[in-house]
Amino acid sequence: MKLARIAAIAAVLGLSAGLWPSAADAAQTGLASYYKHGKRTANGEAFDPHGLTAAHRTFPFGSRVLVTNLKNGKSVIVRINDRGPFTKNRVIDLSFGAAKVVGLTQTGVARVKVVRLD
């Protein structure tokens, strides 16, 4: 009984400390697009169109994210270094380099699954 009580308290403390992913960090499904022009990203670094980076509205800078193209199953891990997308129905904007990996450059937009890894 004592062990169960300790486990319950630990679970509550863990949740309040943010040790488990919140609903905002759960997998997202929606449209992705890409961009290949820019000078600086929102975190201040120079934009590299051939890098494996992305823009997301809420994920912290530096977060690693697994992006999977739902049509062809191709995936890429990107680092969030910018804010966006600023088009209403999009969940993530990939750099041109990341878009090439998942096969997005031909269509310009694709339905993807986005999972934050850290």
Side-chain angles (χ1 to χ4, degrees), residues 47-78:
F47 175 65
D48 177 7
H50 301 291
L52 300 180
T53 59
H56 192 274
R57 287 183 189 94
T58 60
F59 289 161
F61 293 138
S63 296
R64 303 277 176 195
V65 178
L66 175 67
V67 180
T68 303
N69 184 331
L70 296 177
K71 185 172 184 177
N72 62 21
K74 293 181 179 181
S75 296
V76 65
I77 295 176
V78 296

Side-chain angles (χ1 to χ4, degrees), residues 13-33:
L13 290 175
L15 284 173
S16 65
L19 298 178
W20 283 287
S22 68
D25 291 339
Q28 300 174 351
T29 303
L31 294 178
S33 53

